[in-house]
Amino acid sequence: MYHVQTKLISGFPSHNPFLRSRNYRGLPFTEFHSNAHRDDSIQPFSSSSNSGELRNVGFITLATIASKILGMLREMVLAAVFGVGPVASAFKHSLVLPSFFIALVGGVKGPIHVTVATTLSKLSKENRRRLIENAHAAMFMIGGVLGALVYIFADSIVYLSAPGLWASIEGELTKDIAIRQLKVMTPCILFAGPVALGFGSLSAERDHIVPSLSPALASIVVIISCAVYISVTPSSTSTSHNILGGMLVSSAASLGVFLQWLIQVLLHEKTGFKFTYFSWKNILEDKNLSELFALVFPAILTSGLAQIASFTDLYFASYIPRATAGISYARLLAMAPLGILLSTVILPLLPKYSRLVKSSSWTALKESLHQTILLCMVLVFAISTSMCVLARPIIYLFFQRFAFDSTATALVSSLLVCYSIGSPFYVIRELLVMVFYALGDGQQPFIISGVAIILNAFLDWLFTVKFGLGAQGLVLATSTVTVLSALTLLHLLSRRIKGLVEFTESIRLLALLITCSIISGYVTLIAYKMLDCFLSSMLLLRCFRLSEFLSIAFASLFGLFTFSVPLLIFQFPRMKLTRSFSQTLSKLMNFACFHIT
């Protein structure tokens, strides 16, 4: 539902309060290896992981998968009820600014969540409590002012992000609905900061389950709002009913954020936190709060710069019929597996990276990054290959019903292919940004985001205006910028951690992964056609599109198996890591089955 785009180091920035306090501030790059000590405990999926960590990862996996399933169900319901028509398009336009606060500022893995989690992990329990209470009050006040400004200038905000709605008669209704929706969703801005603060404090206590489940709550509320709309207007598509549908969906978005905040307040108050009282003196004199905001504001500015890229995409998309809603549906499907991977693999490692930085364990940090990057690249390349090849049947299976017709399927499937191209580098970029945050540096990601915005705007113009690629050009521009941003961040981080990247070896591994993708793609396509021809002939399997689901599932499995064969033949490095991950995944599945039954 929330369409957002997220976000190197010339030495250690002396202005950063955390780096000023560390002994390694002036450590030369050449001394990384000589002064570092090996910490084997950082293996992300080693067989020596204790049962407590495994149980925590198991719960995170279950919670994240449940949240993603509900998120997919939410989008399926929205697509079935509103298709890619005025209500869906207006919702995506009006959600740009609230989504920045919901998903980036206030969301899991957002700048506040990450910086709060890393900051609290370095403080005592009493200082944590004081910091959370003061930060909660400060963020509420800031959110209140920003929310009021958004409500007052809603018309201008929609115009700036989607001027194309003013350029055509058919965009008139979409414009009116978008302005109304933006005003209704201003509470999202008010509660976004406190919600992110709660996520960060829970993660610092190694409780990732509530943050992983929270998006599911918002999805449930939106689904209920769609059910209410259908019950009130079963078949009408008049202007008044479209406006009613827009109001119901936007109200549900605001209610979902409020409920997340309410649950967090109840959880924190059970542990002794008090949010009903605050003192200006305590807020102004809290040094930890000042240091937190010194990290948070550059991180938010980084995300804010990235959000400008979303504005540029929607700016051009507003001139292209049905492009806004189509891009949103395609992005959801492309990002769903990546979100699971980020939550189950990368997010639990964030406090560990912070501890390794604090103890100057550079060799251990480099080893952990090597393993995580390789694992993510293998998994995402394999998944993205299947999604590219099976894009059209996947869109047909999930979305094509009622208001979502075959022309919408053709549009969204082509956009899904364009998104999948940059998917592997999206994961790497997010991982590297988190490492920079753990290092206490938001300056380098900020610079990269600024350059990426300019490049994204230029490519949007080039691909759509000059080359006439339409909505597909906007997504290709996003994927291109994602790839370049990830490579730049990796290069700059390797200058700080010597030996992180070996150019020749990296090119060889990337070529091997691309070869595996090509082979896997052909196998997946052939397997799907054969399975679809065979299974669709069975009358029983035609019910509920079961034959389509089985064809996609088994063809993807064949493709994933084929993807791994060249890796084994050419002895892909750290295959023991992949096997270890498979063993861990098997344990997690057994754990999940036990707790479900």
Side-chain angles (χ1 to χ4, degrees):
M1 178 175 67
Y2 309 127
H3 169 61
V4 195
Q5 290 177 331
T6 320
K7 17 241 162 255
L8 233 145
I9 272 183
S10 54
F12 296 88
S14 59
H15 66 274
N16 190 292
F18 289 107
L19 297 181
R20 283 201 308 264
S21 64
R22 296 302 309 146
N23 295 329
Y24 58 79
R25 180 165 60 90
L27 183 66
F29 295 136
T30 55
E31 296 181 21
F32 272 10
H33 291 288
S34 61
N35 291 348
H37 64 275
R38 176 68 178 267
D39 183 3
D40 294 329
S41 65
I42 52 81
Q43 308 294 338
F45 295 105
S46 65
S47 58
S48 61
S49 298
N50 59 53
S51 59
E53 290 180 341
L54 180 60
R55 184 178 294 106
N56 190 33
V57 174
F59 277 123
I60 294 170
T61 303
L62 290 175
T64 303
I65 291 175
S67 178
K68 294 299 179 182
I69 291 174
L70 280 170
M72 179 61 66
L73 180 61
R74 175 201 66 218
E75 292 300 312
M76 290 170 62
V77 172
L78 285 171
V81 175
F82 302 111
V84 290
V87 175
S89 296
F91 186 52
K92 306 308 176 183
H93 281 296
S94 64
L95 195 61
V96 173
L97 198 56
S99 69
F100 166 73
F101 288 92
I102 295 171
L104 285 182
V105 173
V108 179
K109 300 181 295 293
I112 296 181
H113 175 205
V114 173
T115 52
V116 168
T118 54
T119 301
L120 292 178
S121 64
K122 304 172 184 178
L123 302 177
S124 64
K125 185 175 181 179
E126 178 60 27
N127 287 335
R128 287 186 187 183
R129 182 193 62 78
R130 187 181 303 110
L131 175 59
I132 292 173
E133 292 176 353
N134 292 335
H136 187 271
M139 289 179 181
F140 245 125
M141 289 183 287
I142 295 172
V145 173
L146 294 176
L149 292 174
V150 170
Y151 186 90
I152 295 171
F153 298 103
D155 296 43
S156 301
I157 293 172
V158 174
Y159 178 77
L160 288 174
S161 64
L165 300 180
W166 274 258
S168 63
I169 297 177
E170 62 185 70
E172 190 71 23
L173 176 59
T174 304
K175 174 197 70 175
D176 292 339
I177 297 174
I179 293 172
R180 293 169 184 259
Q181 287 179 324
L182 179 57
K183 291 182 177 180
V184 172
M185 289 189 288
T186 51
C188 297
I189 301 172
L190 173 64
F191 290 104
V195 167
L197 179 67
F199 286 158
S201 63
L202 290 170
S203 295
E205 299 293 338
R206 301 188 182 184
D207 180 3
H208 304 286
I209 299 171
V210 173
S212 300
L213 275 176
S214 289
L217 185 62
S219 299
I220 293 172
V221 178
V222 172
I223 291 172
I224 293 174
S225 72
C226 291
V228 172
Y229 173 75
I230 290 296
S231 64
V232 174
T233 59
S235 59
S236 177
T237 57
S238 64
T239 299
S240 60
H241 287 156
N242 279 327
I243 293 176
L244 174 62
M247 294 301 97
L248 286 172
V249 173
S250 56
S251 299
S254 294
L255 181 59
V257 176
F258 169 76
L259 292 176
Q260 292 181 56
W261 170 79
L262 183 61
I263 290 174
Q264 289 182 356
V265 169
L266 295 176
L267 289 174
H268 281 97
E269 287 189 347
K270 288 183 179 180
T271 58
F273 290 90
K274 297 179 181 179
F275 298 118
T276 56
Y277 168 80
F278 75 94
S279 169
W280 283 105
K281 182 179 179 181
N282 292 339
I283 292 176
L284 296 175
E285 293 180 355
D286 191 340
K287 294 182 179 180
N288 290 325
L289 182 62
S290 301
E291 293 179 351
L292 174 64
F293 281 152
L295 282 176
V296 165
F297 282 134
I300 292 178
L301 287 175
T302 300
S303 298
L305 287 176
Q307 187 67 5
I308 296 176
S310 291
F311 274 108
T312 59
D313 288 346
L314 289 177
Y315 180 95
F316 289 98
S318 65
Y319 291 96
I320 305 172
R322 308 193 303 171
T324 303
I327 288 174
S328 175
Y329 293 131
R331 180 176 175 79
L332 172 80
L333 280 175
M335 295 297 109
L338 304 185
I340 295 174
L341 186 63
L342 286 169
S343 297
T344 58
V345 176
I346 296 177
L347 185 59
L349 292 176
L350 181 58
K352 186 169 293 184
Y353 287 157
S354 181
R355 292 194 298 270
L356 290 175
V357 170
K358 185 177 181 180
S359 61
S360 302
S361 303
W362 303 111
T363 302
L365 178 61
K366 182 187 72 173
E367 183 69 14
S368 180
L369 283 173
H370 268 154
Q371 295 189 2
T372 308
I373 290 174
L374 287 175
L375 176 62
C376 290
M377 291 291 282
V378 170
L379 294 176
V380 179
F381 260 96
I383 295 171
S384 298
T385 299
S386 296
M387 295 190 74
C388 282
V389 174
L390 303 176
R392 195 178 186 98
I394 288 174
I395 299 300
Y396 170 78
L397 174 66
F398 284 108
F399 292 130
Q400 187 172 323
R401 55 183 60 83
F402 304 115
F404 199 100
D405 55 18
S406 58
T407 57
T409 296
L411 171 65
V412 177
S413 61
S414 64
L415 297 175
L416 178 59
V417 172
C418 296
Y419 265 126
S420 298
I421 295 173
S423 294
F425 296 92
Y426 171 83
V427 175
I428 301 305
R429 185 187 68 181
E430 294 301 294
L431 171 63
L432 296 176
V433 168
M434 287 185 179
V435 174
F436 276 109
Y437 288 158
L439 290 169
D441 181 9
Q443 180 182 4
Q444 298 291 353
F446 177 80
I447 295 173
I448 291 301
S449 293
V451 176
I453 287 166
I454 299 173
L455 179 60
N456 186 80
F458 171 74
L459 292 179
D460 281 345
W461 171 82
L462 183 67
F463 290 166
T464 57
V465 177
K466 288 297 182 180
F467 294 163
L469 297 179
Q472 291 82 358
L474 296 176
V475 180
L476 284 175
T478 299
S479 295
T480 302
V481 171
T482 300
V483 173
L484 295 177
S485 298
L487 294 178
T488 304
L489 285 168
L490 184 61
H491 169 70
L492 292 173
L493 188 61
S494 67
R495 291 173 58 187
R496 186 164 189 173
I497 305 177
K498 291 297 183 180
L500 180 62
V501 177
E502 297 178 4
F503 181 77
T504 304
E505 181 68 11
S506 299
I507 295 298
R508 187 184 77 83
L509 296 179
L510 186 60
L512 178 57
L513 289 174
I514 293 175
T515 302
C516 293
S517 296
I518 295 174
I519 297 173
S520 174
Y522 276 111
V523 172
T524 302
L525 182 60
I526 294 172
Y528 169 76
K529 291 182 176 180
M530 294 177 62
L531 287 167
D532 185 56
C533 181
F534 173 71
L535 295 176
S536 60
S537 63
M538 301 181 184
L539 182 62
L540 182 62
L541 294 181
R542 294 180 187 177
C543 299
F544 306 105
R545 305 186 182 184
L546 186 58
S547 62
E548 192 75 23
F549 171 77
L550 292 176
S551 299
I552 293 173
F554 285 115
S556 298
L557 289 176
F558 280 122
L560 293 175
F561 174 77
T562 308
F563 187 93
S564 64
V565 172
L567 298 180
L568 295 172
I569 294 176
F570 292 100
Q571 298 180 349
F572 185 78
R574 304 186 188 279
M575 280 303 293
K576 63 180 182 179
L577 172 66
T578 307
R579 289 194 296 269
S580 178
F581 174 76
S582 301
Q583 294 172 1
T584 304
L585 185 61
S586 176
K587 293 178 182 179
L588 292 177
M589 294 300 294
N590 293 333
F591 171 84
C593 294
F594 173 77
H595 282 271
I596 291 174
T597 55

PDB file of all heavy atoms in Angstrom, residues 550-570:
ATOM      1  N   LEU A 550      -0.459 -23.890  -9.035  1.00  0.00           N
ATOM      2  CA  LEU A 550       0.446 -25.045  -9.019  1.00  0.00           C
ATOM      3  C   LEU A 550       1.479 -24.949 -10.141  1.00  0.00           C
ATOM      4  O   LEU A 550       2.654 -25.315  -9.948  1.00  0.00           O
ATOM      5  CB  LEU A 550      -0.358 -26.338  -9.150  1.00  0.00           C
ATOM      6  CG  LEU A 550      -1.251 -26.686  -7.949  1.00  0.00           C
ATOM      7  CD1 LEU A 550      -2.076 -27.937  -8.249  1.00  0.00           C
ATOM      8  CD2 LEU A 550      -0.421 -26.899  -6.690  1.00  0.00           C
ATOM      9  N   SER A 551       1.068 -24.472 -11.301  1.00  0.00           N
ATOM     10  CA  SER A 551       2.011 -24.323 -12.415  1.00  0.00           C
ATOM     11  C   SER A 551       3.114 -23.334 -12.061  1.00  0.00           C
ATOM     12  O   SER A 551       4.300 -23.584 -12.308  1.00  0.00           O
ATOM     13  CB  SER A 551       1.275 -23.857 -13.672  1.00  0.00           C
ATOM     14  OG  SER A 551       0.301 -24.796 -14.068  1.00  0.00           O
ATOM     15  N   ILE A 552       2.731 -22.203 -11.485  1.00  0.00           N
ATOM     16  CA  ILE A 552       3.725 -21.196 -11.086  1.00  0.00           C
ATOM     17  C   ILE A 552       4.636 -21.733  -9.991  1.00  0.00           C
ATOM     18  O   ILE A 552       5.859 -21.568 -10.040  1.00  0.00           O
ATOM     19  CB  ILE A 552       3.012 -19.916 -10.614  1.00  0.00           C
ATOM     20  CG1 ILE A 552       2.281 -19.251 -11.776  1.00  0.00           C
ATOM     21  CG2 ILE A 552       4.010 -18.941  -9.989  1.00  0.00           C
ATOM     22  CD1 ILE A 552       1.420 -18.076 -11.366  1.00  0.00           C
ATOM     23  N   ALA A 553       4.047 -22.399  -8.993  1.00  0.00           N
ATOM     24  CA  ALA A 553       4.824 -22.888  -7.852  1.00  0.00           C
ATOM     25  C   ALA A 553       5.849 -23.932  -8.275  1.00  0.00           C
ATOM     26  O   ALA A 553       7.041 -23.828  -7.943  1.00  0.00           O
ATOM     27  CB  ALA A 553       3.882 -23.455  -6.796  1.00  0.00           C
ATOM     28  N   PHE A 554       5.418 -24.937  -9.029  1.00  0.00           N
ATOM     29  CA  PHE A 554       6.336 -26.015  -9.417  1.00  0.00           C
ATOM     30  C   PHE A 554       7.362 -25.529 -10.439  1.00  0.00           C
ATOM     31  O   PHE A 554       8.530 -25.946 -10.402  1.00  0.00           O
ATOM     32  CB  PHE A 554       5.557 -27.207  -9.963  1.00  0.00           C
ATOM     33  CG  PHE A 554       4.869 -28.010  -8.904  1.00  0.00           C
ATOM     34  CD1 PHE A 554       3.487 -28.094  -8.852  1.00  0.00           C
ATOM     35  CD2 PHE A 554       5.600 -28.675  -7.932  1.00  0.00           C
ATOM     36  CE1 PHE A 554       2.846 -28.823  -7.865  1.00  0.00           C
ATOM     37  CE2 PHE A 554       4.973 -29.412  -6.928  1.00  0.00           C
ATOM     38  CZ  PHE A 554       3.596 -29.481  -6.900  1.00  0.00           C
ATOM     39  N   ALA A 555       6.951 -24.649 -11.358  1.00  0.00           N
ATOM     40  CA  ALA A 555       7.918 -24.104 -12.318  1.00  0.00           C
ATOM     41  C   ALA A 555       8.986 -23.289 -11.605  1.00  0.00           C
ATOM     42  O   ALA A 555      10.172 -23.358 -11.952  1.00  0.00           O
ATOM     43  CB  ALA A 555       7.187 -23.247 -13.350  1.00  0.00           C
ATOM     44  N   SER A 556       8.584 -22.542 -10.582  1.00  0.00           N
ATOM     45  CA  SER A 556       9.557 -21.767  -9.803  1.00  0.00           C
ATOM     46  C   SER A 556      10.525 -22.681  -9.060  1.00  0.00           C
ATOM     47  O   SER A 556      11.728 -22.398  -8.976  1.00  0.00           O
ATOM     48  CB  SER A 556       8.826 -20.864  -8.807  1.00  0.00           C
ATOM     49  OG  SER A 556       7.991 -19.935  -9.476  1.00  0.00           O
ATOM     50  N   LEU A 557      10.018 -23.770  -8.523  1.00  0.00           N
ATOM     51  CA  LEU A 557      10.891 -24.720  -7.829  1.00  0.00           C
ATOM     52  C   LEU A 557      11.902 -25.331  -8.780  1.00  0.00           C
ATOM     53  O   LEU A 557      13.087 -25.482  -8.444  1.00  0.00           O
ATOM     54  CB  LEU A 557      10.052 -25.810  -7.169  1.00  0.00           C
ATOM     55  CG  LEU A 557       9.226 -25.379  -5.948  1.00  0.00           C
ATOM     56  CD1 LEU A 557       8.372 -26.539  -5.456  1.00  0.00           C
ATOM     57  CD2 LEU A 557      10.135 -24.887  -4.833  1.00  0.00           C
ATOM     58  N   PHE A 558      11.451 -25.705  -9.989  1.00  0.00           N
ATOM     59  CA  PHE A 558      12.384 -26.220 -10.999  1.00  0.00           C
ATOM     60  C   PHE A 558      13.452 -25.173 -11.317  1.00  0.00           C
ATOM     61  O   PHE A 558      14.636 -25.481 -11.443  1.00  0.00           O
ATOM     62  CB  PHE A 558      11.631 -26.608 -12.280  1.00  0.00           C
ATOM     63  CG  PHE A 558      10.959 -27.949 -12.203  1.00  0.00           C
ATOM     64  CD1 PHE A 558       9.590 -28.060 -12.399  1.00  0.00           C
ATOM     65  CD2 PHE A 558      11.691 -29.090 -11.952  1.00  0.00           C
ATOM     66  CE1 PHE A 558       8.959 -29.291 -12.323  1.00  0.00           C
ATOM     67  CE2 PHE A 558      11.074 -30.339 -11.871  1.00  0.00           C
ATOM     68  CZ  PHE A 558       9.710 -30.436 -12.057  1.00  0.00           C
ATOM     69  N   GLY A 559      13.008 -23.921 -11.463  1.00  0.00           N
ATOM     70  CA  GLY A 559      13.949 -22.857 -11.766  1.00  0.00           C
ATOM     71  C   GLY A 559      14.958 -22.625 -10.654  1.00  0.00           C
ATOM     72  O   GLY A 559      16.147 -22.428 -10.909  1.00  0.00           O
ATOM     73  N   LEU A 560      14.496 -22.645  -9.406  1.00  0.00           N
ATOM     74  CA  LEU A 560      15.401 -22.449  -8.274  1.00  0.00           C
ATOM     75  C   LEU A 560      16.428 -23.572  -8.182  1.00  0.00           C
ATOM     76  O   LEU A 560      17.605 -23.342  -7.876  1.00  0.00           O
ATOM     77  CB  LEU A 560      14.594 -22.355  -6.977  1.00  0.00           C
ATOM     78  CG  LEU A 560      13.694 -21.118  -6.824  1.00  0.00           C
ATOM     79  CD1 LEU A 560      12.860 -21.225  -5.549  1.00  0.00           C
ATOM     80  CD2 LEU A 560      14.519 -19.845  -6.801  1.00  0.00           C
ATOM     81  N   PHE A 561      15.985 -24.795  -8.449  1.00  0.00           N
ATOM     82  CA  PHE A 561      16.915 -25.927  -8.425  1.00  0.00           C
ATOM     83  C   PHE A 561      17.961 -25.772  -9.531  1.00  0.00           C
ATOM     84  O   PHE A 561      19.163 -25.989  -9.310  1.00  0.00           O
ATOM     85  CB  PHE A 561      16.145 -27.235  -8.602  1.00  0.00           C
ATOM     86  CG  PHE A 561      17.034 -28.442  -8.734  1.00  0.00           C
ATOM     87  CD1 PHE A 561      17.654 -28.997  -7.617  1.00  0.00           C
ATOM     88  CD2 PHE A 561      17.273 -29.014  -9.976  1.00  0.00           C
ATOM     89  CE1 PHE A 561      18.486 -30.112  -7.746  1.00  0.00           C
ATOM     90  CE2 PHE A 561      18.092 -30.122 -10.113  1.00  0.00           C
ATOM     91  CZ  PHE A 561      18.699 -30.670  -8.991  1.00  0.00           C
ATOM     92  N   THR A 562      17.493 -25.396 -10.726  1.00  0.00           N
ATOM     93  CA  THR A 562      18.421 -25.214 -11.842  1.00  0.00           C
ATOM     94  C   THR A 562      19.403 -24.078 -11.563  1.00  0.00           C
ATOM     95  O   THR A 562      20.559 -24.127 -11.982  1.00  0.00           O
ATOM     96  CB  THR A 562      17.634 -24.911 -13.125  1.00  0.00           C
ATOM     97  OG1 THR A 562      16.637 -25.911 -13.310  1.00  0.00           O
ATOM     98  CG2 THR A 562      18.548 -24.876 -14.327  1.00  0.00           C
ATOM     99  N   PHE A 563      18.948 -23.053 -10.871  1.00  0.00           N
ATOM    100  CA  PHE A 563      19.812 -21.930 -10.534  1.00  0.00           C
ATOM    101  C   PHE A 563      20.991 -22.376  -9.679  1.00  0.00           C
ATOM    102  O   PHE A 563      22.110 -21.863  -9.815  1.00  0.00           O
ATOM    103  CB  PHE A 563      18.997 -20.876  -9.794  1.00  0.00           C
ATOM    104  CG  PHE A 563      19.728 -19.593  -9.533  1.00  0.00           C
ATOM    105  CD1 PHE A 563      19.630 -18.527 -10.417  1.00  0.00           C
ATOM    106  CD2 PHE A 563      20.532 -19.430  -8.417  1.00  0.00           C
ATOM    107  CE1 PHE A 563      20.312 -17.338 -10.191  1.00  0.00           C
ATOM    108  CE2 PHE A 563      21.212 -18.254  -8.175  1.00  0.00           C
ATOM    109  CZ  PHE A 563      21.103 -17.201  -9.067  1.00  0.00           C
ATOM    110  N   SER A 564      20.762 -23.332  -8.787  1.00  0.00           N
ATOM    111  CA  SER A 564      21.810 -23.747  -7.854  1.00  0.00           C
ATOM    112  C   SER A 564      22.831 -24.697  -8.468  1.00  0.00           C
ATOM    113  O   SER A 564      23.943 -24.817  -7.953  1.00  0.00           O
ATOM    114  CB  SER A 564      21.174 -24.416  -6.627  1.00  0.00           C
ATOM    115  OG  SER A 564      20.498 -25.611  -7.007  1.00  0.00           O
ATOM    116  N   VAL A 565      22.473 -25.357  -9.574  1.00  0.00           N
ATOM    117  CA  VAL A 565      23.379 -26.349 -10.163  1.00  0.00           C
ATOM    118  C   VAL A 565      24.697 -25.734 -10.628  1.00  0.00           C
ATOM    119  O   VAL A 565      25.780 -26.225 -10.283  1.00  0.00           O
ATOM    120  CB  VAL A 565      22.678 -27.106 -11.311  1.00  0.00           C
ATOM    121  CG1 VAL A 565      23.674 -27.992 -12.060  1.00  0.00           C
ATOM    122  CG2 VAL A 565      21.529 -27.949 -10.764  1.00  0.00           C
ATOM    123  N   PRO A 566      24.672 -24.650 -11.427  1.00  0.00           N
ATOM    124  CA  PRO A 566      25.966 -24.052 -11.822  1.00  0.00           C
ATOM    125  C   PRO A 566      26.797 -23.561 -10.643  1.00  0.00           C
ATOM    126  O   PRO A 566      28.030 -23.567 -10.708  1.00  0.00           O
ATOM    127  CB  PRO A 566      25.548 -22.886 -12.734  1.00  0.00           C
ATOM    128  CG  PRO A 566      24.187 -23.232 -13.216  1.00  0.00           C
ATOM    129  CD  PRO A 566      23.541 -23.971 -12.089  1.00  0.00           C
ATOM    130  N   LEU A 567      26.126 -23.126  -9.574  1.00  0.00           N
ATOM    131  CA  LEU A 567      26.872 -22.681  -8.399  1.00  0.00           C
ATOM    132  C   LEU A 567      27.678 -23.821  -7.803  1.00  0.00           C
ATOM    133  O   LEU A 567      28.807 -23.627  -7.341  1.00  0.00           O
ATOM    134  CB  LEU A 567      25.910 -22.108  -7.359  1.00  0.00           C
ATOM    135  CG  LEU A 567      25.094 -20.882  -7.772  1.00  0.00           C
ATOM    136  CD1 LEU A 567      24.188 -20.441  -6.618  1.00  0.00           C
ATOM    137  CD2 LEU A 567      26.004 -19.745  -8.191  1.00  0.00           C
ATOM    138  N   LEU A 568      27.090 -25.007  -7.811  1.00  0.00           N
ATOM    139  CA  LEU A 568      27.800 -26.180  -7.287  1.00  0.00           C
ATOM    140  C   LEU A 568      28.903 -26.625  -8.241  1.00  0.00           C
ATOM    141  O   LEU A 568      29.999 -26.992  -7.812  1.00  0.00           O
ATOM    142  CB  LEU A 568      26.813 -27.321  -7.056  1.00  0.00           C
ATOM    143  CG  LEU A 568      25.748 -27.086  -5.974  1.00  0.00           C
ATOM    144  CD1 LEU A 568      24.716 -28.202  -5.995  1.00  0.00           C
ATOM    145  CD2 LEU A 568      26.395 -26.992  -4.604  1.00  0.00           C
ATOM    146  N   ILE A 569      28.626 -26.577  -9.551  1.00  0.00           N
ATOM    147  CA  ILE A 569      29.613 -27.023 -10.533  1.00  0.00           C
ATOM    148  C   ILE A 569      30.847 -26.125 -10.525  1.00  0.00           C
ATOM    149  O   ILE A 569      31.993 -26.598 -10.536  1.00  0.00           O
ATOM    150  CB  ILE A 569      28.989 -27.054 -11.943  1.00  0.00           C
ATOM    151  CG1 ILE A 569      27.889 -28.127 -12.001  1.00  0.00           C
ATOM    152  CG2 ILE A 569      30.050 -27.333 -12.998  1.00  0.00           C
ATOM    153  CD1 ILE A 569      27.146 -28.157 -13.325  1.00  0.00           C
ATOM    154  N   PHE A 570      30.615 -24.816 -10.482  1.00  0.00           N
ATOM    155  CA  PHE A 570      31.728 -23.875 -10.530  1.00  0.00           C
ATOM    156  C   PHE A 570      32.220 -23.480  -9.144  1.00  0.00           C
ATOM    157  O   PHE A 570      32.973 -22.518  -8.992  1.00  0.00           O
ATOM    158  CB  PHE A 570      31.311 -22.616 -11.300  1.00  0.00           C
ATOM    159  CG  PHE A 570      31.095 -22.862 -12.765  1.00  0.00           C
ATOM    160  CD1 PHE A 570      29.811 -23.027 -13.263  1.00  0.00           C
ATOM    161  CD2 PHE A 570      32.167 -22.948 -13.636  1.00  0.00           C
ATOM    162  CE1 PHE A 570      29.592 -23.251 -14.607  1.00  0.00           C
ATOM    163  CE2 PHE A 570      31.960 -23.178 -14.982  1.00  0.00           C
ATOM    164  CZ  PHE A 570      30.670 -23.331 -15.466  1.00  0.00           C
TER     165      PHE A 570
END
